Amino acid sequence: MENIQPSRRSFLKAGSLASVGLALGISGFTRDAAVKKISPAVIKLEINPFIIIDTAGNITLVNPRPDMGQGSTQAVPSLLAEELEVSLEKVLIVQSDGSGKYGSQTSGGSSSVRELWMPIRKAGAAAREMLTTTAAKRWNVPVTECKAEDGKIVHPGSGRSFTYGELADDASKLEIPKAPKLKESKDFKIIGRYNKRLDVPERVTGKAVYGIDVEVPGMVYASILHSPVIHGKVLSIDDSEAKKVKGVLKVIKTERTMPHRTSDAVAVVATNYWAALKGKKALKVTWDNADYEKTLNTADYYKATAQAATKPGVNFEEKGDFAAKYAKAQEKLEANYQTPFLAHAPIEPENAIAHVKEDGSVEIWGPVQGPDWTVRDVCGYMKVKPEQVKINVALLGGAFGRKAYHDFVLEACHLSREVKKPVKVIWSREDDISQGPYRPGMLSHMQGFVENGKITGFHHHTIGESIQGQVFKGLKEDEADSWIGGELSTENSKYQFDSASKISWTNVKTDIPVVWWRSVYASNFGWGQECFVDELAHLAKKDPLQARLDILPDPRFQKVLKTLADIANWDEKLPEGSGKGLAVFKSFGSISACCITVSKKDQGVHIDKVVSVIDCGHYVNPDNVKAQTEGNIVMGLTAAIKDGITFTNGKCDQSNFHEYNIMRLNEMPKIEVHIIDSGEVPGGVGEPGLPPIAPALGNAVFAATGKRMRTLPFDIHNLG
């Protein structure tokens, strides 16, 4: 970390914050962030995020990662509080607004703690050292005789003390330490310890303000009618009945702008949301759907993926000549594993307020995962400069990737520009489920062989629509989607196949909009990888646990699996009709393994118990790690045995929770979560617990019934 020395006055001017004593910017917590110097007079560097200690002793952290339930509003300040030697209650959180000076501000990829772990702690430690140095100078004593304690610098020998506020002004004039000394983990008082979530009381009592709760002066509401066939074009609008609804102000032909295309829509603008929704239902719109009734069909899409499985893909990684060795192998298997399209279905549907002002500036209020990405997309859509856009981020009532896709924000911008007022767009649940974007449906074409009781050859051919290609337009025809490497590469999975291994890719395109879903591709491809490893284990006549240990020399993986086996009592003799299955998967820097026990029930099985073990390296709060893992278990089971998203003749077959079911409380099995304290660098927590769930269940079903499930979802009550 190079010397960064912002002046108090320049920060006040740039950040519009009052009474600032010591303001520290953190740089380098994103891969591309450049660490530069700032002149004492003017802030030239986008320093991110800001930590402010004012002359009253108040500590403010500008949090760059919106909270969508993953707990960033506690985890991030915990890192600061630990190094500053203050309690969590003393750190005030202010959400970043998308300004470039705060750097990367998108919650996703389970990245908050693992990317901010060192930068936030270094800033806290630097502030502590600067405050300590200032106090020591005032007392004319060695720095080593002073220490930070509960928001003060104390001199134990004399009993004297200064509050941080009393020292902040003079401390701000010092050079920021290049390499401040961080606390050792054995001295942690907050990190790695259970601490109450300070944000929970307001959320459970209804005091917390989510995006859907926000109101601004002079705003109107909009409910938008999208084509039942996504991408359909408006031919005619009969709004006569809609305009009769009390409160309806206007009916406007509008547009839904997605990364890969823009589609027609019709908005009803009203004084209140109920009137807007009622007016929307009264609209009579004729759509031209001819171009998409045939192309938007999931049955045809999966036929195309199956056809692609019969042909070579584009190589992502290969060790040895897999095809040649597979052809000669005596004991080998081949199978297809399929996963469905899935909606995110956050409990709070998409919503945003936009105000396009007379001077051309744009202000947004909404539950968005990334204010920086929102600024980028609004600038591109409205043709304005970043300094003309301000984002006010509210709490997110769930997101799972959906609220980093800003079609709903751009709809609000378009309508505000038209009506010249702040407009609040609220999607209905039907919009949310039937319009997408979705987790892409995928096919895993698996091949493998065994020799002398060991899995020695493995090929995973990944097939489907590319998020990288559709959303970011960043995939060439002759290259593999690089994102698959994050989960499946041998560097990540640590599987070592003695003879040959291969990962390949085929892009099967679709007009169905797709985007990342909780754990991104890991939830798709973990299903194929971990079920097929089980198939090969049985071919080798090996216990599935031992078969994995044989090809996983990595000590962290070994410990995770052995811990799981011990906690789940893997070797116990089960009654007839019961079975256990396991799976292990690494994603977002964390290793997670799961063991599921099932028992036969009528024509299906009952899920008796789920045991998950996670090694996420250093973590902030064990309670939050367990909560996120429990949430992953629920979503993982839902994705395995409840409804997927399907399209027939251009239309989504699901519209609400009666057709897109989720796990209910009375369906949940017993859950046990164990955290391994490995002391490794922090990994993610919000997503890694999900990928092993479905394959562990599939493997358990096979152990109990002898039936191998290869297509998700499957009916757990009737296995056929």
Side-chain angles (χ1 to χ4, degrees):
M1 207 173 163
E2 279 192 48
N3 172 32
I4 299 176
Q5 192 174 6
S7 72
R8 178 165 61 95
R9 181 175 296 176
S10 64
F11 177 76
L12 280 168
K13 187 175 180 180
S16 301
L17 294 170
S19 188
V20 174
L22 173 59
L24 291 184
I26 301 168
S27 55
F29 71 85
T30 60
R31 297 184 188 88
D32 302 324
V35 182
K36 303 178 183 177
K37 290 186 178 181
I38 313 170
S39 71
V42 181
I43 290 184
K44 293 181 178 178
L45 174 66
E46 297 176 352
I47 55 179
N48 40 57
F50 283 112
I51 293 167
I52 309 106
I53 302 174
D54 68 23
T55 51
N58 300 308
I59 301 168
T60 302
L61 169 68
V62 182
N63 178 32
R65 301 300 169 98
D67 198 314
M68 52 185 175
Q70 85 278 30
S72 68
T73 51
Q74 186 193 41
V76 178
S78 293
L79 303 176
L80 176 63
E82 183 69 78
E83 295 293 346
L84 268 180
E85 296 288 3
V86 298
S87 64
L88 272 172
E89 290 86 349
K90 292 189 176 180
V91 180
L92 172 68
I93 294 291
V94 177
Q95 182 59 52
S96 64
D97 62 2
S99 300
K101 61 177 174 278
Y102 298 126
S104 174
Q105 299 160 62
T106 297
S107 288
S110 300
S111 62
S112 295
V113 170
R114 61 194 181 111
E115 289 189 2
L116 296 176
W117 173 259
M118 291 304 293
I120 293 283
R121 290 181 61 209
K122 281 184 177 180
R128 184 185 71 237
E129 287 188 10
M130 294 163 75
L131 293 163
T132 305
T133 299
T134 301
K137 285 182 179 179
R138 288 188 186 179
W139 292 322
N140 194 26
V141 299
V143 171
T144 54
E145 292 183 7
C146 306
K147 68 175 185 177
E149 185 178 278
D150 194 27
K152 297 177 182 179
I153 302 298
V154 299
H155 183 242
S158 64
R160 291 174 292 181
S161 67
F162 285 118
T163 66
Y164 287 174
E166 292 172 315
L167 299 167
D169 223 11
D170 285 343
S172 68
K173 299 168 187 175
L174 299 178
E175 182 177 298
I176 296 176
K178 296 178 180 179
K181 185 178 180 180
L182 301 176
K183 292 176 67 174
E184 295 184 27
S185 57
K186 66 181 178 60
D187 298 322
F188 286 163
K189 300 171 184 174
I190 298 173
I191 296 174
R193 309 289 193 272
Y194 168 77
N195 286 281
K196 289 183 178 179
R197 285 277 297 269
L198 301 178
D199 52 357
V200 167
E202 287 195 346
R203 300 185 188 196
V204 298
T205 58
K207 293 181 180 179
V209 178
Y210 291 86
I212 205 164
D213 301 319
V214 175
E215 296 180 352
V216 301
M219 79 177 194
V220 293
Y221 291 81
S223 186
I224 300 176
L225 180 66
H226 301 99
S227 172
V229 174
I230 298 178
H231 313 312
K233 298 175 182 178
V234 172
L235 292 178
S236 65
I237 303 170
D238 180 353
D239 58 9
S240 56
E241 292 301 313
K243 288 181 176 179
K244 293 178 183 179
V245 176
K246 184 178 179 180
V248 169
L249 302 172
K250 203 168 186 179
V251 176
I252 302 171
K253 181 183 175 183
T254 185
E255 59 192 21
R256 178 189 178 198
T257 302
M258 293 166 277
H260 68 303
R261 66 177 70 250
T262 296
S263 298
D264 288 352
V266 182
V268 175
V269 181
T271 57
N272 60 83
Y273 178 63
W274 176 245
L277 184 62
K278 192 174 180 182
K280 168 187 169 181
K281 293 180 178 179
L283 282 174
K284 296 178 182 177
V285 177
T286 304
W287 303 92
D288 177 5
N289 301 318
D291 291 340
Y292 299 101
E293 286 181 345
K294 293 182 179 179
T295 60
L296 295 177
N297 283 281
T298 46
D300 291 342
Y301 171 81
Y302 283 114
K303 286 180 183 177
T305 62
Q307 182 62 30
T310 65
K311 303 174 183 178
V314 178
N315 265 20
F316 175 82
E317 172 186 289
E318 185 168 16
K319 296 180 180 181
D321 188 339
F322 179 85
K325 293 185 178 182
Y326 180 78
K328 295 179 180 178
Q330 298 299 308
E331 296 181 281
K332 55 188 175 183
L333 287 176
E334 185 171 9
N336 287 341
Y337 281 85
Q338 181 178 302
T339 54
F341 289 83
L342 292 175
H344 303 76
I347 199 67
E348 175 202 35
E350 296 70 46
N351 66 90
I353 302 170
H355 188 191
V356 180
K357 302 176 183 179
E358 290 184 5
D359 63 1
S361 64
V362 183
E363 188 165 6
I364 306 291
W365 296 260
V368 294
Q369 284 181 234
D372 52 339
W373 286 12
T374 309
V375 169
R376 176 202 65 191
D377 290 348
V378 170
C379 286
Y381 181 71
M382 299 297 293
K383 309 302 180 189
V384 295
K385 298 178 181 178
E387 56 266 28
Q388 293 177 280
V389 180
K390 182 181 179 183
I391 310 295
N392 304 282
V393 181
L395 285 174
L396 290 75
F400 313 116
R402 174 60 179 94
K403 291 172 184 171
Y405 190 96
H406 300 128
D407 49 349
F408 60 100
V409 176
L410 302 185
E411 286 180 330
C413 289
H414 182 265
L415 293 171
S416 178
R417 183 170 57 188
E418 292 294 312
V419 302
K420 296 177 171 48
K421 292 181 180 181
V423 175
K424 182 166 191 172
V425 167
I426 301 177
W427 278 37
S428 68
R429 178 59 59 198
E430 287 79 7
D431 292 326
D432 172 60
I433 290 178
S434 67
Q435 293 291 318
Y438 308 102
R439 181 191 80 170
M442 290 287 186
L443 189 75
S444 290
H445 175 60
M446 312 300 305
Q447 293 176 306
F449 53 87
V450 301
E451 299 169 289
N452 302 317
K454 184 179 181 181
I455 304 170
T456 56
F458 198 84
H459 174 208
H460 193 156
H461 183 183
T462 58
I463 304 168
E465 179 56 287
S466 166
I467 300 169
Q468 191 178 39
Q470 190 189 94
V471 177
F472 295 99
K473 301 179 176 66
L475 189 67
K476 297 177 183 177
E477 294 290 337
D478 59 348
E479 69 176 341
D481 189 323
S482 63
W483 289 13
I484 63 176
E487 288 92 16
L488 299 181
S489 68
T490 50
E491 179 183 354
N492 184 74
S493 74
K494 302 301 182 186
Y495 278 130
Q496 298 295 313
F497 303 104
D498 294 342
S499 184
S501 64
K502 181 178 178 181
I503 302 167
S504 59
W505 160 264
T506 298
N507 188 186
V508 173
K509 297 181 180 180
T510 177
D511 284 317
I512 299 171
V514 299
V515 77
W516 42 79
W517 184 89
R518 193 172 189 176
S519 78
V520 198
Y521 289 147
S523 67
N524 294 100
F525 299 137
W527 169 242
Q529 173 182 291
E530 288 301 295
C531 286
F532 195 63
V533 167
D534 251 52
E535 288 205 58
L536 291 172
H538 287 286
L539 179 64
K541 297 180 175 57
K542 270 283 182 70
D543 171 81
L545 171 64
Q546 188 58 51
R548 285 173 171 81
L549 293 173
D550 288 347
I551 56 175
L552 273 173
D554 182 82
R556 285 185 73 185
F557 273 89
Q558 289 257 335
K559 186 171 183 179
V560 168
L561 282 171
K562 289 177 180 178
T563 301
L564 177 70
D566 183 54
I567 294 172
N569 199 7
W570 175 256
D571 292 326
E572 73 174 320
K573 184 173 177 59
L574 295 174
E576 187 176 351
S578 294
K580 288 182 178 180
L582 62 78
V584 62
F585 206 84
K586 183 182 178 185
S587 59
F588 309 100
S590 295
I591 304 167
S592 180
C594 176
C595 177
I596 294 182
T597 306
V598 303
S599 55
K600 283 185 179 180
K601 184 179 180 182
D602 301 325
Q603 299 302 309
V605 297
H606 178 266
I607 304 173
D608 301 317
K609 189 175 183 179
V610 178
V611 178
S612 280
V613 172
I614 184 168
D615 176 357
C616 57
H618 274 299
Y619 52 86
V620 175
N621 189 334
D623 189 60
N624 196 51
V625 176
K626 289 183 178 180
Q628 290 298 305
T629 305
E630 289 166 356
N632 276 308
I633 291 169
V634 175
M635 286 191 72
L637 291 176
T638 297
I641 65 174
K642 297 295 182 178
D643 305 295
I645 290 292
T646 57
F647 276 76
T648 305
N649 296 327
K651 295 181 181 180
C652 180
D653 299 315
Q654 295 73 36
S655 63
N656 209 315
F657 287 126
H658 67 295
E659 295 165 317
Y660 188 72
N661 286 277
I662 59 175
M663 293 285 287
R664 297 179 179 272
L665 280 174
N666 64 345
E667 297 177 290
M668 285 303 299
K670 294 178 181 178
I671 290 177
E672 190 175 337
V673 176
H674 183 85
I675 306 168
I676 291 180
D677 291 308
S678 66
E680 298 285 345
V681 295
V685 169
E687 299 168 276
L690 194 150
I693 303 301
L697 177 60
N699 293 335
V701 168
F702 177 80
T705 68
K707 296 180 179 179
R708 180 61 70 180
M709 315 309 295
R710 295 193 179 95
T711 298
L712 296 180
F714 59 85
D715 185 352
I716 200 169
H717 303 296
N718 186 2
L719 297 175

